[in-house]
Amino acid sequence: MELESNLKNAYATAYGIACDKLNKLDWEKVSLNTNSVFDSNAKSLQVKFLNKEYTISCTSGEVTCESMTEDITTTVKVLILHYLVNADIRPLSSKHISFKEIRGGGAIYYQTFQKRAIQPLIKTFGQNAGRLYNAGAKLGGTIEKYGNAAVTIKIFPLVPVTYVVWQGDDEVPANATILFDESVTSFLPGEDIVLAASFGTYELMKV
């Protein structure tokens, strides 16, 4: 309970810091950097996160989504705001890298990444890799030529993530990996890349 409480407090603090930072930025520049839509009258930004449209108040940092009936978690709010406030203008490279290759913390966060993003992917799709194609299609994903099945979905407009599965059998255990565009650290820091990838995994599992 103490750990859970500490995490909750940490995300609440991170959310407050990100709201304050967004309030002080050039919102039109943020829009250009993140491929989001700036509404100058409402002083808000609209950005897609996992195929849903979210609206963020530039002054307060409030995050809303008309297509959702449930409350948006603080974790999701922090991730969306971190994408907005951290993004630099950088084109996608179309070069895929593994999580361990991510500069500034790929190796540090690898165990957490493996537990939160890779293992659930294996558990859900490892015995029937073809299901990954169906799940990816429902999220507007594109098919890739890796493993027995692979799809790329856009976590954010400029953060494509590729999910790859090798199907297991009686002799060979199933395996999976997740690949990122080389530019990913221009849009999210290492810890948030773990979150983004795991949210993608669970959304694929859900659909």
Side-chain angles (χ1 to χ4, degrees):
M1 290 295 293
E2 183 178 353
L3 177 60
E4 184 178 335
S5 178
N6 288 341
L7 283 172
K8 186 176 180 180
N9 291 336
Y11 277 115
T13 300
Y15 178 52
I17 292 171
C19 290
D20 185 59
K21 187 171 181 180
L22 178 62
N23 184 36
K24 296 174 181 177
L25 292 176
D26 179 335
W27 302 323
E28 289 188 3
K29 185 177 179 181
V30 171
S31 174
L32 290 172
N33 289 355
T34 59
N35 201 14
S36 56
V37 178
F38 175 56
D39 184 333
S40 59
N41 292 323
K43 294 182 180 179
S44 66
L45 290 158
Q46 287 188 324
V47 65
K48 276 192 174 182
F49 170 59
L50 282 171
N51 229 27
K52 289 187 177 72
E53 198 81 44
Y54 289 78
T55 301
I56 302 90
S57 167
C58 296
T59 54
S60 70
E62 181 184 5
V63 181
T64 56
C65 179
E66 290 186 0
S67 65
M68 289 178 61
T69 55
E70 66 271 26
D71 290 339
I72 301 171
T73 66
T74 304
T75 309
V76 169
K77 292 178 182 179
V78 168
L79 185 60
I80 291 172
L81 282 169
H82 279 183
Y83 172 68
L84 294 175
V85 303
N86 284 294
D88 291 326
I89 293 179
R90 183 179 175 186
L92 298 178
S93 70
S94 298
K95 177 183 177 183
H96 286 143
I97 60 172
S98 69
F99 187 74
K100 285 185 176 179
E101 295 176 276
I102 291 172
R103 57 181 172 82
I108 295 172
Y109 297 112
Y110 186 73
Q111 287 188 339
T112 304
F113 174 74
Q114 185 76 10
K115 181 179 179 180
R116 297 178 66 173
I118 297 289
Q119 290 178 5
L121 192 67
I122 295 172
K123 185 175 180 180
T124 304
F125 300 103
Q127 300 307 312
N128 189 345
R131 294 170 61 197
L132 184 64
Y133 291 135
N134 296 330
K138 291 179 181 179
L139 295 175
T142 56
I143 293 173
E144 305 286 353
K145 295 180 180 180
Y146 296 111
N148 293 122
V151 295
T152 294
I153 61 174
K154 288 186 176 181
I155 308 299
F156 290 109
L158 297 175
V159 182
V161 178
T162 301
Y163 295 82
V164 185
V165 173
W166 288 268
Q167 188 165 311
D169 55 31
D170 293 337
E171 297 180 358
V172 180
N175 203 354
T177 191
I178 298 175
L179 304 174
F180 304 87
D181 189 88
E182 192 179 30
S183 65
V184 67
T185 52
S186 293
F187 302 99
L188 290 172
E191 188 173 1
D192 286 332
I193 293 170
V194 175
L195 271 180
S198 61
F199 274 124
T201 292
Y202 283 102
E203 197 68 16
L204 286 166
M205 292 165 61
K206 186 190 299 184
V207 302

